[in-house]
Amino acid sequence: MPDPVSVPSSTAPMRIRARGRSFLALVLSPEAPLPLWLDGLDYQVARSGGLFTGKPIILDLGLLDENTPGLATLLDDIRGRGVRIIGLEGGSRHWPAVAHWDWPEMLDGGRPAGEVEIPEDPSTSAAGPVSGGGTLIIDQTVRSGQSIQHMQGDVIILGSVSSGAEIVAAGSIHVYGTLRGRAIAGVGGQSQSRIFASRMQAELLALDGYYAVTEDIDPALLGQAAQAALDEDRVRVLPLPV
């Protein structure tokens, strides 16, 4: 039987690779009365073409207080609708109504964001340059099942966006082909953002948290050059000026 192989103590330890991973987390901010808010959530889930399905959601309790009726069951009520809560903001763990909550801890999935260098010397700062933002240009069609997320600016698609595909941007979205999938612009509160398409046939349009689905688009504009803009908390689809 051969002797076990020993590793010399002088051998340098293996370098460990680490990769960054960024996430688009949508934020839900419940308001009282909670039964009416949950009815509104049901309506939005039914209309949003699966926007909330499988997406990480942060629950913001900032608009509620510890005595809000229905608060004790709110987390279960939301999860029961297939919404995946991965974090909470606002409120307090010390509120009696939420003391029994199963507070979220795990976060899976996400979008690869490149490698992160681990410094050789622990005293070395790991800080690096911060992206200044900009426009992301995609020079091909976005296929069904693909999700493009750009949280630093506009997204320009030189091809089309297929049914079942998704484009998410902090700024505006420009589609030079046919927009059949979902376009979510103005993420993070940029309410002036817009969605432009040479041929508008979107399954879902969202601007700063407000949504419209195919049935909300004037049939005369379907397949035509159009833009979506936010007008008094409503997504309106209008023809592009010639």
Side-chain angles (χ1 to χ4, degrees):
M1 183 173 179
D3 295 333
V5 178
S6 61
V7 179
S9 58
S10 59
T11 301
M14 180 181 291
R15 291 284 311 267
I16 302 299
R17 292 175 180 241
R19 288 179 171 84
R21 190 168 293 272
S22 63
F23 295 85
L24 170 68
L26 304 177
V27 179
L28 288 178
S29 301
E31 303 178 51
L34 289 177
L36 291 181
W37 184 85
L38 288 167
D39 287 344
L41 178 62
D42 288 336
Y43 178 73
Q44 194 63 70
V45 167
R47 287 167 48 88
S48 65
L51 175 64
F52 298 109
T53 303
K55 292 291 192 302
I57 305 294
I58 294 173
L59 184 61
D60 180 7
L61 304 179
L63 299 179
L64 306 176
D65 61 51
E66 60 182 312
N67 298 313
T68 301
L71 178 59
T73 61
L74 178 61
L75 186 59
D76 287 339
D77 289 338
I78 295 175
R79 284 174 167 168
R81 289 160 167 81
V83 178
R84 181 186 177 206
I85 303 296
I86 55 90
L88 289 101
E89 295 179 347
S92 170
R93 290 175 180 256
H94 301 295
W95 289 354
V98 303
H100 66 285
W101 279 15
D102 177 19
W103 291 76
E105 295 179 354
M106 299 291 292
L107 184 63
D108 301 315
R111 176 173 62 93
E115 294 190 359
V116 176
E117 287 290 330
I118 299 177
E120 301 265 17
D121 183 353
S123 65
T124 302
S125 170
V130 178
S131 172
T135 299
L136 174 66
I137 300 176
I138 306 295
D139 59 2
Q140 59 189 5
T141 291
V142 182
R143 304 295 181 186
S144 179
Q146 288 185 296
S147 178
I148 304 297
Q149 300 177 9
H150 183 57
M151 298 297 102
Q152 291 81 37
D154 292 0
V155 173
I156 297 176
I157 308 293
L158 300 184
S160 296
V161 178
S162 301
S163 176
E166 178 182 78
I167 309 298
V168 182
S172 296
I173 295 174
H174 309 253
V175 180
Y176 283 84
T178 301
L179 171 56
R180 295 189 178 93
R182 300 183 293 184
I184 303 167
V187 175
Q190 298 192 40
S191 59
Q192 300 304 312
S193 299
R194 299 192 180 192
I195 299 170
F196 304 89
S198 296
R199 289 179 293 280
M200 179 68 77
Q201 293 180 315
E203 297 169 340
L204 178 138
L205 301 167
L207 289 163
D208 191 20
Y210 296 92
Y211 308 94
V213 294
T214 306
E215 291 76 10
D216 299 319
I217 303 174
D218 183 346
L221 293 177
L222 291 175
Q224 305 299 313
Q227 61 175 314
L230 196 58
D231 180 16
E232 296 184 352
D233 298 341
R234 179 184 176 189
V235 175
R236 299 180 62 89
V237 180
L238 305 169
L240 282 174
V242 178

